[in-house]
Amino acid sequence: MSTSTTLASRRYRPYFWEEFAQAAASRTQRQSRRQPVPAWAERGLRAARDGLGCEPGTVPGIRHLHRVELTDDHRSAQQLPDSYRAEQAALTLFGLHQSAGADPVHRPGVGLGTAVRHLRRTLLSGSAAERRLMAAATARDLEELVQHLRGLVPLLRQAGSGLDYTRLYRDLRNWTTPEQGRVLRAWGLQYTDPACDDSGQALWSDTAEACLYWAGFDSCLAEAGAQLAALRSGAGREAGTVPAMWPFYRTLISTPLRNKGALTRSLAAEHAALTVFAVHQQGRDTTVHSPGASPGSACRLLLAKAKDADSTAIERRFGALLTSLDAGELAQHLRGLVPLLRRTGIGLDYDALHRALQLWDDPQRPDEQSRIRNRWDRDFRTDTTPPST
């Protein structure tokens, strides 16, 4: 007879790592001195470690630790469901992490990005920690992801850093689904949470954002080319889902929203502005961030410099820009325009462009799109010369 997991059964059947943490908390409350790990928990940890590197469903000792139940159809299928495979991966990682540890390593609320940020402050250099997290974030499938995590977990254990294994299980379960983007965004935002730096000090207040990337860009830096390439790789991708872009976000987002991997309007606008700037700045020795230069005034200057054969194409591009329905379409048209501006040394005000991308289709401010569009159109038709780079 087929069985399935129900909401009621899940409510009263915690995952093994949750049971382990609950038992540890209970022992701490009852005893003045820490007691040994119960026999059932020790057997469970051994069984979980026995499953390392093994195909899900092939290790008899680990089966009783599963809370994801299988139907007859699942057992006869060529591959077990992702939820079961993800739970075995989480069980084996937990067994490895909890090995020889007295305190439970299952820490509710601690996402992978947060755990690696702690690792960066206590055990590894910033670049080494970042490389390990990005290696995991760029895994092509669940098996490769678990392999990277198996190398990371012993470091977390050494640093005394815990992890929310229920959240990790859900992340693993969602790795090959459309929810992968949210998982990636959560890891990146947790890792770059500006609430504290490597020494634990606040980086900036809740009322002021740090210097946005384009405002502090220096083309003389050795890593400038690699940074721009990383930003260009995010063109057309959802904000927060490109690990190479994580270090360059400066948008203020609350820690709870970071933990959830929330896609805020501000983050999406910054992501789009970064990709446009990277395309615009490519190959230029001087910055293309030019305060006061709107797309309208920039296109007017471009039109003045263009040959007669190019004028119609420029007007057509600018018209498409003005009629963009949403911020995504606006960013797409901007990425098509800026190579023309780059070749003629014309810059843009990226602070203003960032604000325009944020407000363009904001349902809370429906009049902003018309206001921005009219201003750009007026700049295009007014005989003024914007600054050039």
Side-chain angles (χ1 to χ4, degrees), residues 318-334 360-361 369 373:
F318 184 63
L321 190 75
L322 291 183
T323 56
S324 299
L325 296 178
D326 53 38
E329 184 181 348
L330 176 61
Q332 183 179 357
H333 287 307
L334 285 167
W360 191 261
D361 54 354
Q369 185 180 126
R373 182 189 293 117

mmCIF file of all heavy atoms in Angstrom, residues 318-334 360-361 369 373:
data_model
loop_
_atom_site.group_PDB
_atom_site.id
_atom_site.type_symbol
_atom_site.label_atom_id
_atom_site.label_comp_id
_atom_site.label_asym_id
_atom_site.label_seq_id
_atom_site.Cartn_x
_atom_site.Cartn_y
_atom_site.Cartn_z
ATOM 1 N N PHE A 318 16.492 55.315 -29.067
ATOM 2 C CA PHE A 318 16.024 56.161 -27.966
ATOM 3 C C PHE A 318 14.503 56.039 -27.801
ATOM 4 O O PHE A 318 13.990 56.007 -26.672
ATOM 5 C CB PHE A 318 16.414 57.621 -28.225
ATOM 6 C CG PHE A 318 16.041 58.547 -27.095
ATOM 7 C CD1 PHE A 318 16.606 58.401 -25.837
ATOM 8 C CD2 PHE A 318 15.109 59.557 -27.289
ATOM 9 C CE1 PHE A 318 16.257 59.241 -24.791
ATOM 10 C CE2 PHE A 318 14.747 60.407 -26.250
ATOM 11 C CZ PHE A 318 15.331 60.246 -25.001
ATOM 12 N N GLY A 319 13.786 55.950 -28.922
ATOM 13 C CA GLY A 319 12.342 55.773 -28.842
ATOM 14 C C GLY A 319 11.969 54.470 -28.162
ATOM 15 O O GLY A 319 11.030 54.427 -27.352
ATOM 16 N N ALA A 320 12.699 53.391 -28.474
ATOM 17 C CA ALA A 320 12.443 52.102 -27.825
ATOM 18 C C ALA A 320 12.724 52.187 -26.330
ATOM 19 O O ALA A 320 12.007 51.590 -25.504
ATOM 20 C CB ALA A 320 13.306 51.024 -28.463
ATOM 21 N N LEU A 321 13.746 52.956 -25.970
ATOM 22 C CA LEU A 321 14.088 53.144 -24.557
ATOM 23 C C LEU A 321 12.929 53.806 -23.817
ATOM 24 O O LEU A 321 12.512 53.351 -22.746
ATOM 25 C CB LEU A 321 15.353 54.002 -24.474
ATOM 26 C CG LEU A 321 16.034 54.131 -23.118
ATOM 27 C CD1 LEU A 321 16.786 52.844 -22.795
ATOM 28 C CD2 LEU A 321 17.025 55.296 -23.141
ATOM 29 N N LEU A 322 12.379 54.852 -24.411
ATOM 30 C CA LEU A 322 11.313 55.604 -23.748
ATOM 31 C C LEU A 322 10.025 54.800 -23.606
ATOM 32 O O LEU A 322 9.249 55.035 -22.681
ATOM 33 C CB LEU A 322 11.016 56.889 -24.533
ATOM 34 C CG LEU A 322 12.087 57.976 -24.532
ATOM 35 C CD1 LEU A 322 11.593 59.190 -25.295
ATOM 36 C CD2 LEU A 322 12.473 58.377 -23.110
ATOM 37 N N THR A 323 9.797 53.864 -24.505
ATOM 38 C CA THR A 323 8.539 53.111 -24.472
ATOM 39 C C THR A 323 8.675 51.768 -23.745
ATOM 40 O O THR A 323 7.787 50.922 -23.857
ATOM 41 C CB THR A 323 8.030 52.872 -25.898
ATOM 42 O OG1 THR A 323 9.052 52.207 -26.666
ATOM 43 C CG2 THR A 323 7.667 54.184 -26.572
ATOM 44 N N SER A 324 9.762 51.583 -23.012
ATOM 45 C CA SER A 324 9.944 50.343 -22.254
ATOM 46 C C SER A 324 8.787 50.159 -21.274
ATOM 47 O O SER A 324 8.396 51.095 -20.571
ATOM 48 C CB SER A 324 11.262 50.378 -21.476
ATOM 49 O OG SER A 324 12.359 50.502 -22.349
ATOM 50 N N LEU A 325 8.252 48.954 -21.217
ATOM 51 C CA LEU A 325 7.097 48.694 -20.361
ATOM 52 C C LEU A 325 7.491 48.509 -18.903
ATOM 53 O O LEU A 325 6.729 48.840 -17.999
ATOM 54 C CB LEU A 325 6.353 47.452 -20.862
ATOM 55 C CG LEU A 325 5.726 47.568 -22.254
ATOM 56 C CD1 LEU A 325 5.061 46.257 -22.643
ATOM 57 C CD2 LEU A 325 4.709 48.710 -22.279
ATOM 58 N N ASP A 326 8.675 47.918 -18.680
ATOM 59 C CA ASP A 326 9.096 47.674 -17.304
ATOM 60 C C ASP A 326 10.604 47.874 -17.193
ATOM 61 O O ASP A 326 11.293 48.141 -18.192
ATOM 62 C CB ASP A 326 8.704 46.269 -16.846
ATOM 63 C CG ASP A 326 9.194 45.182 -17.787
ATOM 64 O OD1 ASP A 326 10.314 45.297 -18.311
ATOM 65 O OD2 ASP A 326 8.455 44.198 -17.997
ATOM 66 N N ALA A 327 11.119 47.738 -15.962
ATOM 67 C CA ALA A 327 12.539 47.998 -15.723
ATOM 68 C C ALA A 327 13.426 46.986 -16.440
ATOM 69 O O ALA A 327 14.531 47.318 -16.874
ATOM 70 C CB ALA A 327 12.820 47.968 -14.223
ATOM 71 N N GLY A 328 12.954 45.739 -16.580
ATOM 72 C CA GLY A 328 13.740 44.736 -17.283
ATOM 73 C C GLY A 328 13.934 45.102 -18.743
ATOM 74 O O GLY A 328 15.039 44.977 -19.293
ATOM 75 N N GLU A 329 12.862 45.560 -19.397
ATOM 76 C CA GLU A 329 12.969 45.970 -20.797
ATOM 77 C C GLU A 329 13.820 47.229 -20.927
ATOM 78 O O GLU A 329 14.610 47.369 -21.870
ATOM 79 C CB GLU A 329 11.574 46.207 -21.382
ATOM 80 C CG GLU A 329 11.593 46.535 -22.864
ATOM 81 C CD GLU A 329 10.205 46.790 -23.430
ATOM 82 O OE1 GLU A 329 9.209 46.501 -22.729
ATOM 83 O OE2 GLU A 329 10.129 47.291 -24.577
ATOM 84 N N LEU A 330 13.692 48.131 -19.956
ATOM 85 C CA LEU A 330 14.507 49.346 -19.960
ATOM 86 C C LEU A 330 15.993 49.005 -19.886
ATOM 87 O O LEU A 330 16.811 49.560 -20.635
ATOM 88 C CB LEU A 330 14.103 50.243 -18.786
ATOM 89 C CG LEU A 330 14.916 51.519 -18.585
ATOM 90 C CD1 LEU A 330 14.805 52.432 -19.802
ATOM 91 C CD2 LEU A 330 14.450 52.255 -17.319
ATOM 92 N N ALA A 331 16.353 48.082 -18.994
ATOM 93 C CA ALA A 331 17.756 47.673 -18.866
ATOM 94 C C ALA A 331 18.262 47.035 -20.155
ATOM 95 O O ALA A 331 19.408 47.256 -20.574
ATOM 96 C CB ALA A 331 17.911 46.702 -17.692
ATOM 97 N N GLN A 332 17.412 46.252 -20.804
ATOM 98 C CA GLN A 332 17.801 45.602 -22.062
ATOM 99 C C GLN A 332 18.105 46.640 -23.137
ATOM 100 O O GLN A 332 19.110 46.537 -23.859
ATOM 101 C CB GLN A 332 16.686 44.666 -22.514
ATOM 102 C CG GLN A 332 17.008 43.881 -23.777
ATOM 103 C CD GLN A 332 15.878 42.944 -24.173
ATOM 104 O OE1 GLN A 332 14.874 42.838 -23.467
ATOM 105 N NE2 GLN A 332 16.032 42.270 -25.279
ATOM 106 N N HIS A 333 17.254 47.653 -23.256
ATOM 107 C CA HIS A 333 17.491 48.702 -24.253
ATOM 108 C C HIS A 333 18.731 49.531 -23.899
ATOM 109 O O HIS A 333 19.472 49.958 -24.800
ATOM 110 C CB HIS A 333 16.269 49.608 -24.365
ATOM 111 C CG HIS A 333 15.105 48.967 -25.056
ATOM 112 N ND1 HIS A 333 15.211 48.376 -26.295
ATOM 113 C CD2 HIS A 333 13.802 48.814 -24.675
ATOM 114 C CE1 HIS A 333 14.037 47.899 -26.665
ATOM 115 N NE2 HIS A 333 13.159 48.139 -25.690
ATOM 116 N N LEU A 334 18.967 49.750 -22.615
ATOM 117 C CA LEU A 334 20.159 50.501 -22.208
ATOM 118 C C LEU A 334 21.433 49.734 -22.564
ATOM 119 O O LEU A 334 22.415 50.326 -23.016
ATOM 120 C CB LEU A 334 20.117 50.766 -20.702
ATOM 121 C CG LEU A 334 19.148 51.860 -20.239
ATOM 122 C CD1 LEU A 334 18.964 51.800 -18.724
ATOM 123 C CD2 LEU A 334 19.656 53.238 -20.668
ATOM 124 N N TRP A 360 10.834 52.888 -12.350
ATOM 125 C CA TRP A 360 10.209 52.846 -13.681
ATOM 126 C C TRP A 360 8.843 52.166 -13.677
ATOM 127 O O TRP A 360 7.889 52.672 -14.272
ATOM 128 C CB TRP A 360 11.154 52.140 -14.649
ATOM 129 C CG TRP A 360 10.748 52.268 -16.089
ATOM 130 C CD1 TRP A 360 10.076 51.344 -16.845
ATOM 131 C CD2 TRP A 360 10.982 53.387 -16.952
ATOM 132 N NE1 TRP A 360 9.892 51.813 -18.126
ATOM 133 C CE2 TRP A 360 10.435 53.065 -18.220
ATOM 134 C CE3 TRP A 360 11.601 54.624 -16.771
ATOM 135 C CZ2 TRP A 360 10.497 53.940 -19.297
ATOM 136 C CZ3 TRP A 360 11.665 55.500 -17.844
ATOM 137 C CH2 TRP A 360 11.115 55.163 -19.094
ATOM 138 N N ASP A 361 8.734 51.010 -13.039
ATOM 139 C CA ASP A 361 7.436 50.314 -13.013
ATOM 140 C C ASP A 361 6.984 50.052 -11.579
ATOM 141 O O ASP A 361 6.324 49.050 -11.299
ATOM 142 C CB ASP A 361 7.518 49.007 -13.799
ATOM 143 C CG ASP A 361 8.653 48.104 -13.331
ATOM 144 O OD1 ASP A 361 9.446 48.547 -12.473
ATOM 145 O OD2 ASP A 361 8.759 46.967 -13.815
ATOM 146 N N GLN A 369 7.189 56.907 -13.937
ATOM 147 C CA GLN A 369 7.648 56.542 -15.279
ATOM 148 C C GLN A 369 7.415 57.683 -16.264
ATOM 149 O O GLN A 369 8.304 58.021 -17.051
ATOM 150 C CB GLN A 369 6.945 55.274 -15.759
ATOM 151 C CG GLN A 369 7.459 54.776 -17.099
ATOM 152 C CD GLN A 369 6.753 53.514 -17.548
ATOM 153 O OE1 GLN A 369 6.217 53.470 -18.667
ATOM 154 N NE2 GLN A 369 6.729 52.486 -16.707
ATOM 155 N N ARG A 373 10.341 59.664 -18.182
ATOM 156 C CA ARG A 373 10.298 59.635 -19.645
ATOM 157 C C ARG A 373 10.254 61.046 -20.215
ATOM 158 O O ARG A 373 10.975 61.371 -21.174
ATOM 159 C CB ARG A 373 9.086 58.836 -20.099
ATOM 160 C CG ARG A 373 9.006 58.709 -21.614
ATOM 161 C CD ARG A 373 7.690 58.108 -22.064
ATOM 162 N NE ARG A 373 7.584 56.710 -21.641
ATOM 163 C CZ ARG A 373 6.684 56.248 -20.805
ATOM 164 N NH1 ARG A 373 5.804 57.088 -20.243
ATOM 165 N NH2 ARG A 373 6.628 54.974 -20.495
#
